[in-house]
Amino acid sequence: MDDDAEDFVRAHTRLAPVPYVPEIRLRLITPSAVPSGAPGAGPATGPATGPAAGPAAGGDDHVYELWERAGRLPFWACPWAGGQALARHVLDHPEIVRGRTVLDLATGSGLVAVAAALAGAALVVANDVDPYALAAVGLNARANGVAVRVVEGDLLDGTPSQQVVLAGDVYYEEPLARRVTPFLSRAGDVLIGVPDRACSYLPEGVFEQVGVHHVPAFLEDTPSKRTTIYRLSAHSVT
């Protein structure tokens, strides 16, 4: 992984436990992680409140500052509800991945990939289109003492070769949903995490519910999100 990308991630984050999966530590954006000379990066005046509260909280301003610097929304620096719930589910049910090959699609921080590795997966591949995300995955995997292979780029026109595909939160926008469902239908075992939102593009009749979690939320409309774990139940999606 490019040293500059890893340096960038280190400069704008710090290691902190994930709120809903505290046995895993990730490099997350926090008030103290924002460079003191950055525009709008004044000292913290008290505990964070609202949707961004928690160990990874710094308020929207810190995320927008990092967004501007990185050139895209830093999914890799935030503990999103879908990933937290799916990581928790995998750690609580390690038989899902133990001894099997796993793809963590749209990995972001690599939280779900790290959880799969800790749960005993034979091989974990973390995929994302953002090079900063892949840099974060490498740092986070090492911080948790596991091995994760990173693959950059858009995989959605292909067919996954791994035995299990995990996706923390991929139904938040329609263009992505239209492409990701056929991709998942070509996979073996599939589990996804889906936070309750007013706008969701989860298709009907394709997934079955296997668990529900109430997860501390970051940059959402409530401090916590009811998040459902689904298993793919139909492989006839077109």
Side-chain angles (χ1 to χ4, degrees), residues 101-103 105 155-165 182-190:
T101 58
V102 175
L103 171 65
L105 182 69
L155 304 182
L156 297 183
D157 291 330
T159 298
S161 60
Q162 292 78 16
Q163 294 168 295
V164 181
V165 176
F183 175 81
L184 295 177
S185 75
R186 297 191 291 271
D189 290 340
V190 174

Side-chain angles (χ1 to χ4, degrees), residues 6 18 38 42 53 73 76 91 128 139 146 166 213:
E6 288 197 349
V18 177
L73 183 62
W76 47 269
L91 289 176
D128 209 286
L139 293 169
V146 297
L166 305 173
H213 300 259

Side-chain angles (χ1 to χ4, degrees), residues 27-215:
R27 298 208 66 94
L28 301 173
I29 188 169
T30 67
S32 62
V34 178
S36 58
T45 57
T49 59
D60 293 6
D61 289 348
H62 299 302
V63 174
Y64 297 146
E65 169 66 19
L66 185 52
W67 188 347
E68 182 177 353
R69 288 169 175 257
R72 64 176 75 193
L73 183 62
F75 291 108
W76 47 269
C78 306
W80 303 100
Q84 288 192 74
L86 187 54
R88 180 78 272 154
H89 189 83
V90 167
L91 289 176
D92 291 347
H93 303 278
E95 68 279 1
I96 294 168
V97 300
R98 185 186 294 123
R100 308 178 77 191
T101 58
V102 175
L103 171 65
D104 179 18
L105 182 69
T107 187
S109 66
L111 170 58
V112 176
V114 169
L118 288 172
L123 172 69
V124 181
V125 176
N127 163 251
D128 209 286
V129 297
D130 186 343
Y132 289 125
L134 300 183
V137 171
L139 293 169
N140 291 332
R142 293 197 293 274
N144 290 277
V146 297
V148 174
R149 181 182 300 175
V150 297
V151 174
E152 184 177 358
D154 184 334
L155 304 182
L156 297 183
D157 291 330
T159 298
S161 60
Q162 292 78 16
Q163 294 168 295
V164 181
V165 176
L166 305 173
D169 191 348
V170 292
Y171 282 99
Y172 57 87
E173 62 180 13
E174 188 174 12
L176 176 60
R178 284 200 303 265
R179 296 188 63 215
V180 78
T181 302
F183 175 81
L184 295 177
S185 75
R186 297 191 291 271
D189 290 340
V190 174
L191 286 175
I192 62 173
V194 182
D196 282 1
R197 297 193 182 105
C199 188
S200 176
Y201 297 95
L202 185 72
E204 295 184 3
V206 178
F207 296 94
E208 59 184 5
Q209 178 179 313
V210 297
V212 175
H213 300 259
H214 294 272
V215 183

